[in-house]
Structure formats: C-alpha cells, structure tokens
C-alpha cells in the first residue's frame, strides 16, 4: 500500500513539475515573442489621398505591400492644432498632444525667456560631425516620454533606439530622451549626417565612413520624372502658376539639372527639395541597420525614420504638382529596397513597421480659387495695422501685446498689471476685436481653454494643442483654405481635414491583415506599439491601443 502511495506521489509531483515547466516555457515564449525590431516611419506632409491617388503607380513591395499584407487605418486623423512637424513627430511617438508633451510648434514664443525658441535647440550641447553652431540639438524641450523611451526602460537600456531624418526635429523627437543616437542631415557645403553631444562624444566609425564615402554627391544629378511624364495623369500640368521652383531656373518644370542649380540653392540643401533627399535617408537607415546590428537578438530595438523631402517638395511645388507625384513614386521605390533589407537582415516576420505622417497639406489656394473653391491668402499687414489702432484706442499702447505667432496672441502680463487691467477682460476684448477681421473664423481665449472642456469640433482640437504654460492668450482660427503663405506651393498647420487626415499603416509581426474606416487618432499609435511589446505606455499617453490591428 505504501509503495502504491509512493508511486502515486512521484507521478503527481512529476506531472506538476512538467506542467509548470510547460507553463514557464509558454511564458518565456510569450515574453520573447516580441518583434526584434520596431520601425516607425513618418512621411512628412503626407496626405491620406497620396496613397489612393498614386496607388496605380506604386510597385508591389512598398506602400502596396504594407496595405495588402498589413492593416490600413483609412480614417486616421490628428486630434489637435497646430499640425506642424515638431508637434507631429512628438505626438506620434508619445501618444499625447502638445497640451501635455509641450512641443506646441516648430518655433514658439517663450513667455519666460521673452524670445522665440526652436523645438529641438539646446545650447548646453555641441554639434558633432560639423562645426556649425546651428546643429546644437536635443529633445530637452519635450516633457514626456516616447514608446522608444519606454522600450529602453523595459529592456534595462539593452534595446537600442536610433532616429534618422533629414530634419533634426524629425530624428530627435521620435526616439525621445534615452536614445542611443539621432542623426540628421547637414546640407549647405557639407552634405553629412550629424548629431550632438547629447547622444555621444563622437560619430561612430560607420557614420564617419558613410560621410567620407561622398556617395551623397552622386545624387547631385538631373531630376527627371521616373516614368514618362505624360503618364502622370494623377497630377496637374507641369507648367502652371501655382509652383515655386528653384533659383536659377525660369520655370518649375522638368527636368531639373541639380549640378547647375545647386550653387544658387544652398549647395547640398537642394537635395532636400527633391526625392533624392528621401533616398539619402534610406541609404543611411540601411547602413544603421547593418552597422548597429538592429534586430539581431531577442531584445527589441527601435528605429525611427522620417522622410522630410516630401514636405520640402510639397511646400515648393504644391499638392497637385508633377513633382510631388514623382517624389512619392520614388519614395515607394525606396521603401521597397528598405523592406528588402529588413527581410534579409532581421528576417521576414521578425519586425514590425508602422507608417504615418506628421501632418497633411492644403491645396494651393490660388489653384483652388481657379477651380471656384473658396480659398485665399491672409493679409497680415492689414490685420496688424487695424489691430495696432485698436490697441492704441483701447489701452493707449501697443506694448500690451508681446508677440503674435502661430495664430496666437501673447500678452504682456506686467504691462496689464501696471495699467491695472483685468487679464481675463483684456483677453476677451482682444478676442472680440480679432473676430471682426477678414478671414478670421473663430477666436478663443486662454481662459476659455482652461475653464471649459470641449469634446468635439475645432474647439477640442485647439484645447488638445493648448499648453497652459507655453501657449498664448488668444487663439485664432482662419477660414478654411485661407493661409498666410506665398502664392505658390502648399503649407499646413490647421485643424481642417486636409491637414489632419493622414495615412496609418501597420505591417509585420503581430499585425493583422485588414482595414478599417473607423476613426483612429494619431495618439493611438504609441499605445498600440506599447501594447504589442507588452511595455508601459509613454508617461502621458491619452490614446488607446488599436486592439483590432493586433494579431
């Protein structure tokens, strides 16, 4: 009897240990089943309809691969104003808005310093890879973490994070505060990728080798359409009145001899306003994957890639130009070769990619007007003249206003106090005055933004973009498609659909195949990636994981 009991005990113990071993093995499998590499791609100034307008010109391995093999969020929007590059990159990767992360514009008036500051500038660091003082950059003005930061913390700093872009802010803000490196392009006469001492004491050998190879010089060549220009039926006429072009060329028409034009267009900087700027970023990102061994072990790495040339081309030539179409066709080719490198270096099914934009863009208002659509240009000088007269007539001085920028009015608190005026009343009086001006649609005060909770409409977008310590006292909203800009090219910054509606594609490990017309918001990206990785959300995320895209 004792022998039977002993055998039964051994059997039960053995079964229990085996079960626990299996559970432990399953847990380890779950923990280690994360993608080896997460790649966050931002295409600067990419409207959603660039996916659909140019779809038939794309190859199978770029945008179409992401759409056909991954998940397409077709109704994805920015949920705040202003829609600029700095706030866009910060919001995509932090899962929150300027209200919390503090990047309220590319440049903004600092109420404490009494001067305009740049979103990534940092006088406490030194540029490396260049002697220019203009490249002293870091993420120190961003108040929150990104999912790249959270991955670094989760992996005890063993997971690498690297950011790459033509623009410094496009490289720096996505990878957050704990990044191993951020690299951006220094044009002018240098044509190098640079960084700052915030990240390292000197450029790694592979970066120095890339810079000294001078392969970037190969892109100073003739820019012509990739395919026969007569097949570019998805865009307007090549010769029109709505495009800027380059100095030294009378018309904004193909082809562009970049060797001939470079000298009058800041040398290597000319590449930024061509599709070859995206190719340079792709080249450099491929080198980073190989040299840094990204995605080579079981600890998840993060690579952020921002393609900025789409923005430069859009600003110069506009939404409906042949130049913008060719730029996206060529970007698609760059994505093809980029994904092929990921397949080879990391492994098919071992990495996850998402692609979105930092904002959209408006059609050139002059073009819209020619099509009988309400649009136009803001007369800032006319507004300023009327406003100054109002200030003198009402308060006896114009010094009551410190700054007007980014569609915001900043008041001089000390002057208001000296004149024994009530701040709230002054805000409202100025708001009432501004509302009478031509092409101003709505005006709100900082008091309104901090005392009323808006759940929808432009008011909600303004509120999510309003940072109590950094934003102005009065917020202005212009009429749709009325901009303060030159008569050629496109711009952005508003809360209208042409600026807020951008692509959102997920592709790779852990991602379902499909699409949705359900509205998603830009702040949903970071918590979705965080949920996929099983890590903490960035510390002020307001978005929600898109659980329907996770497999």
């Amino acid at each position: 009897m004792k022998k039977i009991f002993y055998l039964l005990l051994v059997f039960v113990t053995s079964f229990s240990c085996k079960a626990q071993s299996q559970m432990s093995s399953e847990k380890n499998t779950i923990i280690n089943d994360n993608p080896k590499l997460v790649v966050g791609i931002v295409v600067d100034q990419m409207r959603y309809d660039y996916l659909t307008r140019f779809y038939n010109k794309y190859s199978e391995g770029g945008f179409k691969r992401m759409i056909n093999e991954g998940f397409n969020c077709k109704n994805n929007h920015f949920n705040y104003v202003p829609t600029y590059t700095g706030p866009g990159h910060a919001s995509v990767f932090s899962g929150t808005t300027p209200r919390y992360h503090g990047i309220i514009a590319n440049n903004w008036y600092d109420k404490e310093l009494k001067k305009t500051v740049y979103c990534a500038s940092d006088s406490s660091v030194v540029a490396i890879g260049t002697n220019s003082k203009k490249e002293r950059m870091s993420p120190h003005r961003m108040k929150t973490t990104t999912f790249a930061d959270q991955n670094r913390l989760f992996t005890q700093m063993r997971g690498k994070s690297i950011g790459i872009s033509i623009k410094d802010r496009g490289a720096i803000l996505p990878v957050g505060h704990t990044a191993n490196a951020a690299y951006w392009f220094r044009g002018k006469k240098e044509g190098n990728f640079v960084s700052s001492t915030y990240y390292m004491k000197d450029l790694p050998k592979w970066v120095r080798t890339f810079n000294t190879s001078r392969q970037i010089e190969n892109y100073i060549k003739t820019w012509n359409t990739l395919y026969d220009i007569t097949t570019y039926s998805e865009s307007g006429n090549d010769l029109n009145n709505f495009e800027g072009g380059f100095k030294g060329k009378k018309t904004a028409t193909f082809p562009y001899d970049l060797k001939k034009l470079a000298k009058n267009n800041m040398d290597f900087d000319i590449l930024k306003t061509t599709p070859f700027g995206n190719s340079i970023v792709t080249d450099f990102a491929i080198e980073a994957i190989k040299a840094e061994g990204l995605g080579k072990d079981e600890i998840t790495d993060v690579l952020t890639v921002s393609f900025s040339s789409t923005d430069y081309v859009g600003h110069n030539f506009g939404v409906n130009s042949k130049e913008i179409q060719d730029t996206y066709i060529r970007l698609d080719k760059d994505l093809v070769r980029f994904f092929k490198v990921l397949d080879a270096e990391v492994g098919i099914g071992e990495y996850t990619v998402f692609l979105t934009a930092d904002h959209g863009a408006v059609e050139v208002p002059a073009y819209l007007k020619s099509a009988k659509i309400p649009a136009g240009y803001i007369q800032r000088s006319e507004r300023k003249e009327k406003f100054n007269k109002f200030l003198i007539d009402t308060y006896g001085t114009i010094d009551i206003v410190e700054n007007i920028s980014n569609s915001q009015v900043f008041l001089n608190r000390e002057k208001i106090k000296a004149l024994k005026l009530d701040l709230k009343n002054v805000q409202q009086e100025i708001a009432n005055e501004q509302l009478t001006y031509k092409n101003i649609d709505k005006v709100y005060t900082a008091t309104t933004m901090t005392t009323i909770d808006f759940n929808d409409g432009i008011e909600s977008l303004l509120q999510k973009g309003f940072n109590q310590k950094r934003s102005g006292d009065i917020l202005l909203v212009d009429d749709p498609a009325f901009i303060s800009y030159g008569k050629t090219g496109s711009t952005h910054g508003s809360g209208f659909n042409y600026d807020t509606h951008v692509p959102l594609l997920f592709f790779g490990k852990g991602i379902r195949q499909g699409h949705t017309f359900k509205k998603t918001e830009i702040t949903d990206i970071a918590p979705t990636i965080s949920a996929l990785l099983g890590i903490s959300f960035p510390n002020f995320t307001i978005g929600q994981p898109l659980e329907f895209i996770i497999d």
Side-chain angles (χ1 to χ4, degrees):
M1 186 71 178
K2 288 182 180 180
K3 187 174 182 180
I4 294 174
F5 178 78
Y6 174 76
L7 290 173
L8 184 62
L9 180 63
V10 169
F11 173 77
V12 170
T13 302
S14 175
F15 180 81
S16 176
C17 290
K18 184 176 181 180
Q20 288 179 7
S21 176
Q22 288 177 342
M23 289 173 65
S24 176
S25 177
E26 289 173 4
K27 286 181 180 179
N28 287 336
T29 299
I30 293 171
I31 290 172
N32 293 326
D33 201 36
N34 286 344
K36 294 180 178 180
L37 177 64
V38 172
V39 181
I41 298 175
V42 176
V43 183
D44 206 322
Q45 203 188 113
M46 185 175 185
R47 292 161 51 110
Y48 176 78
D49 65 355
Y50 290 157
L51 276 183
T52 53
R53 270 177 60 198
F54 307 143
Y55 185 84
N56 290 333
K57 295 292 192 297
Y58 294 145
S59 55
E60 295 301 319
F63 288 117
K64 283 185 178 180
R65 181 178 178 186
M66 295 194 76
I67 292 170
N68 295 331
E69 296 182 24
F71 202 96
N72 184 1
C73 297
K74 298 184 177 184
N75 190 22
N76 183 63
H77 288 263
F78 276 86
N79 55 350
Y80 65 83
V81 175
T83 44
Y84 295 141
T85 298
H89 283 78
S91 298
V92 167
F93 290 86
S94 69
T96 193
T97 67
R99 182 178 185 179
Y100 301 113
H101 61 58
I103 305 299
I104 64 170
N106 295 333
N107 302 275
W108 66 86
Y109 180 72
D110 189 302
K111 294 186 282 190
E112 293 183 6
L113 298 176
K114 305 298 182 185
K115 67 177 184 179
T116 298
V117 297
Y118 176 60
C119 63
S121 63
D122 186 351
S123 60
S124 71
V125 302
V126 177
I128 57 174
T130 177
N131 293 321
S132 173
K133 294 181 179 180
K134 293 182 179 180
E135 308 299 338
R136 301 169 71 176
M137 304 290 173
S138 86
H140 77 109
R141 296 191 196 279
M142 185 167 62
K143 295 183 172 184
T144 61
T145 61
T146 67
F147 76 75
D149 284 320
Q150 297 303 146
N151 186 66
R152 290 274 285 159
L153 294 170
F154 182 80
T155 62
Q156 302 301 310
M157 302 296 172
R158 289 176 292 175
K160 289 184 177 180
S161 290
I162 295 176
I164 297 167
S165 179
I166 287 287
K167 295 181 181 178
D168 47 63
R169 57 188 180 272
I172 291 168
L173 298 175
V175 282
H177 303 275
T178 62
N180 298 86
Y183 302 104
W184 56 95
F185 184 68
R186 170 74 182 170
K188 304 297 188 289
K189 292 184 180 296
E190 297 177 51
N192 290 330
F193 276 91
V194 301
S195 190
S196 82
T197 52
Y198 179 87
Y199 304 99
M200 61 195 78
K201 294 181 180 179
D202 194 13
L203 293 178
K205 182 180 178 181
W206 70 267
V207 177
R208 298 197 304 272
T209 300
F210 183 92
N211 286 338
T212 56
S213 72
R214 307 313 298 168
Q215 66 186 76
I216 290 173
E217 293 179 2
N218 295 330
Y219 289 108
I220 302 289
K221 58 184 180 180
T222 298
W223 174 23
N224 208 342
T225 53
L226 186 64
Y227 304 128
D228 185 338
I229 195 169
T230 62
T231 67
Y232 283 28
S233 57
E234 298 82 5
S235 49
N237 294 329
D238 192 28
L239 180 62
N240 59 69
N241 298 320
F242 314 121
E243 303 174 13
F246 294 111
K247 292 179 181 178
K249 193 174 190 300
K250 291 183 178 180
T251 60
T253 54
F254 284 103
Y256 298 95
D257 185 344
L258 302 185
K259 282 187 178 181
K260 183 178 179 181
L261 295 170
K263 186 177 180 180
N264 291 326
N265 294 271
M266 296 186 289
D267 299 294
F268 283 105
D269 271 5
I270 196 172
L271 292 175
K272 297 178 181 179
T273 314
T274 75
F276 305 133
N278 294 329
S279 299
I280 292 166
V281 168
T282 305
D283 293 342
F284 192 78
I286 288 171
E287 286 302 310
I289 291 169
K290 295 177 179 178
E292 296 287 350
L294 299 180
K296 287 295 187 181
D297 57 30
E298 302 304 314
I299 300 173
T300 302
D301 297 322
V302 174
L303 174 65
T304 69
V305 181
S306 179
F307 292 107
S308 308
S309 289
T310 43
D311 182 69
Y312 288 107
V313 174
H315 277 297
N316 192 352
F317 298 97
V319 167
N320 199 43
S321 64
K322 290 281 191 280
E323 287 80 1
I324 203 71
Q325 178 167 3
D326 192 66
T327 296
Y328 276 90
I329 291 172
R330 289 177 181 272
L331 173 59
D332 181 67
K333 298 292 187 184
D334 285 325
L335 290 176
V336 171
R337 65 190 181 94
F338 183 61
F339 293 154
K340 284 182 178 178
V341 170
L342 289 174
D343 290 342
E345 296 293 323
V346 184
I348 297 175
E350 295 295 339
Y351 61 88
T352 304
V353 181
F354 71 81
L355 182 149
T356 188
D358 54 350
H359 52 74
V362 65
E363 291 267 14
V364 179
Y367 168 68
L368 292 176
K369 287 182 70 176
S370 73
K372 300 181 180 180
I373 294 173
Y377 299 90
I378 306 300
Q379 301 300 320
R380 293 292 183 196
S381 58
E382 181 181 312
R383 279 188 188 177
K384 183 178 180 180
E385 184 178 343
K386 291 182 68 174
F387 187 44
N388 284 347
K389 185 178 185 304
F390 163 79
L391 294 175
I392 292 291
D393 292 345
T394 308
Y395 307 110
T397 177
I398 64 172
D399 293 338
I400 203 168
V401 172
E402 279 189 350
N403 180 270
I404 301 177
S405 56
N406 295 315
S407 297
Q408 299 180 26
V409 180
F410 294 80
L411 298 180
N412 186 327
R413 305 298 178 93
E414 290 79 12
K415 191 68 175 179
I416 290 173
K417 186 176 181 181
L419 293 173
K420 297 181 179 179
L421 299 171
D422 180 77
L423 176 63
K424 181 179 177 181
N425 289 341
V426 173
Q427 288 177 347
Q428 192 58 56
E429 287 169 351
I430 290 178
N432 293 340
E433 170 67 14
Q434 289 279 343
L435 193 57
T436 67
Y437 295 167
K438 187 178 180 180
N439 298 128
I440 286 188
D441 185 50
K442 290 176 172 54
V443 184
Y444 295 93
T445 67
T447 300
T448 300
M449 289 291 110
T450 56
T451 56
I452 300 176
D453 189 21
F454 297 104
N455 296 315
D456 55 24
I458 193 69
E459 297 82 4
S460 176
L461 302 185
L462 286 168
Q463 194 164 59
K464 287 188 176 71
F466 179 82
N467 186 280
Q468 201 166 359
K469 291 192 73 171
R470 294 182 176 179
S471 297
D473 291 275
I474 297 98
L475 312 181
L476 313 175
V477 180
D478 293 319
D479 286 333
F482 277 79
I483 62 174
S484 179
Y485 201 68
K487 297 297 176 67
T488 59
S490 301
T491 193
H492 50 86
S494 79
F496 300 114
N497 283 329
Y498 50 73
D499 282 338
T500 68
H501 190 194
V502 297
L504 178 55
L505 305 174
F506 292 90
F507 157 72
K509 189 165 189 175
I511 304 300
R512 290 178 179 171
Q513 192 281 327
H515 69 268
T516 184
F517 288 103
K518 177 182 178 181
K519 186 174 183 179
T520 58
E521 296 183 330
I522 211 73
T523 49
D524 296 331
I525 298 172
T528 299
I529 295 298
S530 298
L532 179 67
L533 298 179
I535 63 177
S536 295
F537 292 2
N539 59 14
F540 225 129
T541 287
I542 63 171
Q544 297 297 319
L546 303 176
E547 57 186 68
F548 49 84
I549 71 109
I550 298 176
D551 192 1

